Amino acid sequence: MFKVVVIGASGLLGRALVDELARQADWQVVATAFSRPAPNTVALDIRDAQAVEQFVEREAPDALVIAAAERRPDVCEHDPALARALNVDAVRTLAAAANRRGAWTLSISTDYVFNGTHPPYRHDSTPAPLNAYGHSKLDGERALTATTDLGCVLRLPLLYGPIVSWAESAVTSLVPAIAASASSNGRSAVMDAWAIRYPTFTPDVALVIRQMLERHAHGETIRGIVQWSGDEPMTKYEIAVRLAEALQLDANLTPQSTPTDATPRPHNCHLASSQLEALGIGRRTPFDTAIRQVLAAFPWRGETAA
């Protein structure tokens, strides 16, 4: 029996990962959550070091995946202490507890550790974050690698997938504005056409992580820093156009060619995925196919977008 703990199982990536791992024969999955605990999850505040240590000691996993984080750049900018507690200190605590049990730790990081001026970025490219979120995730990477030799960082870009609310992903968060612009008296929705993103489907990432876990289970542990990314570049404006097409809405969209976010964001942080590709790891579902799956599974009520 191979036992995996998923930290942050109620989140966008965590849910997809639990769904993927639950299909594996002879694997036991222990899922934790904090803000949205469910009957099949263990309630755990990863900011509570003593609770984390007791949990890991009790469960004694073979591997631990950290999918919990404060991932909202604006929140990190205004509350750096919260960002550090979740993205740095908790990673260190979890990695240390797992290391004491001889468990492999996989921590999720972000393309925002780079400044976006010289893509594509390799795993060993020099990080240069532009905002507090990127800084906190970079410090989290360093916390992991300094705490355990039995660990790996997986950097990911903009994620989307099955949702519980439009706001859960920066991709689907555009839907209410798109829908409003398509109404009879709707104003044009202004969408960023400057920053280039690489939307990446959470079920694809879950498969990547499962394949990495399989290698560890077979004694071929992946260490250090690796990256995975979708391969379709698009701006928020281009994402919005494709969302409108998928929803069959005649949206009124206006591209904005200069940065509009209050928190600075990088221009293009394309992550090279060559390490994992060389290992035969990975899958990329085309965006138009994947987003239609997401929209079909989420209750869509046209003009309300609620």
Side-chain angles (χ1 to χ4, degrees):
M1 182 69 68
F2 184 66
K3 189 173 187 179
V4 183
V5 163
V6 177
I7 303 293
S10 64
L12 182 70
L13 176 58
R15 293 194 309 273
L17 180 57
V18 170
D19 288 346
E20 175 71 29
L21 300 185
R23 293 195 290 267
Q24 306 310 304
D26 300 324
W27 284 28
Q28 181 182 356
V29 181
V30 179
T32 82
F34 175 62
S35 60
R36 291 179 292 192
N40 58 342
T41 61
V42 177
L44 180 67
D45 183 352
I46 58 174
R47 297 168 295 182
D48 184 338
Q50 185 176 6
V52 166
E53 290 163 8
Q54 291 173 346
F55 167 78
V56 174
E57 186 69 22
R58 181 177 72 248
E59 296 297 339
D62 297 294
L64 185 147
V65 181
I66 307 173
E70 178 48 71
R71 59 179 180 78
R72 297 166 294 179
D74 294 340
V75 171
C76 292
E77 209 70 23
H78 293 111
D79 194 349
L82 173 65
R84 184 163 192 87
L86 288 172
N87 297 349
V88 186
D89 299 338
V91 171
R92 183 182 294 108
T93 301
L94 286 159
N99 190 51
R100 282 192 289 273
R101 295 292 320 180
W104 181 64
T105 302
L106 178 65
S107 182
I108 304 302
S109 190
T110 175
D111 57 343
Y112 273 28
V113 299
F114 299 112
N115 63 16
T117 58
H118 293 93
Y121 291 94
R122 291 167 37 90
H123 68 284
D124 55 359
S125 297
T126 302
L130 292 181
N131 55 36
Y133 169 61
H135 279 287
S136 71
K137 294 299 285 184
L138 178 59
D139 286 345
E141 292 183 4
R142 291 168 173 165
L144 179 82
T145 55
T147 303
T148 179
D149 292 327
L150 196 59
C152 185
V153 170
L154 172 60
R155 290 181 182 143
L156 301 169
L158 172 66
L159 297 180
Y160 72 100
I163 52 173
V164 296
S165 70
W166 292 125
E168 198 174 22
S169 163
V171 170
T172 52
S173 68
L174 305 178
V175 169
I178 294 168
S181 79
S183 63
S184 58
N185 59 349
R187 295 181 179 178
S188 176
V190 178
M191 296 285 172
D192 183 283
W194 176 79
I196 298 170
R197 312 298 296 273
Y198 290 80
T200 301
F201 193 38
T202 51
D204 290 347
V205 176
L207 179 136
V208 166
I209 294 172
R210 189 254 294 168
Q211 291 176 318
M212 294 176 70
L213 286 163
E214 285 175 338
R215 293 186 78 91
H216 176 62
H218 296 141
E220 302 169 1
T221 303
I222 300 171
R223 292 176 168 85
I225 296 174
V226 296
Q227 303 179 153
W228 186 257
S229 174
D231 58 0
E232 298 175 75
M234 57 188 90
T235 64
K236 275 191 178 181
Y237 172 76
E238 290 165 333
I239 292 171
V241 168
R242 292 164 82 160
L243 280 167
E245 291 173 354
L247 293 165
Q248 298 182 310
L249 291 174
D250 186 15
N252 182 8
L253 305 173
T254 301
Q256 168 62 261
S257 58
T258 56
T260 57
D261 293 299
T263 301
R265 284 159 167 81
H267 175 59
N268 182 350
C269 286
H270 186 208
L271 297 174
S273 308
S274 51
Q275 288 169 288
L276 292 178
E277 289 168 343
L279 294 173
I281 289 175
R283 179 185 70 197
R284 292 184 176 93
T285 304
F287 179 81
D288 290 334
T289 301
I291 200 62
R292 280 168 171 77
Q293 292 178 21
V294 172
L295 296 171
F298 192 69
W300 163 245
R301 290 186 291 276
E303 71 280 2
T304 62

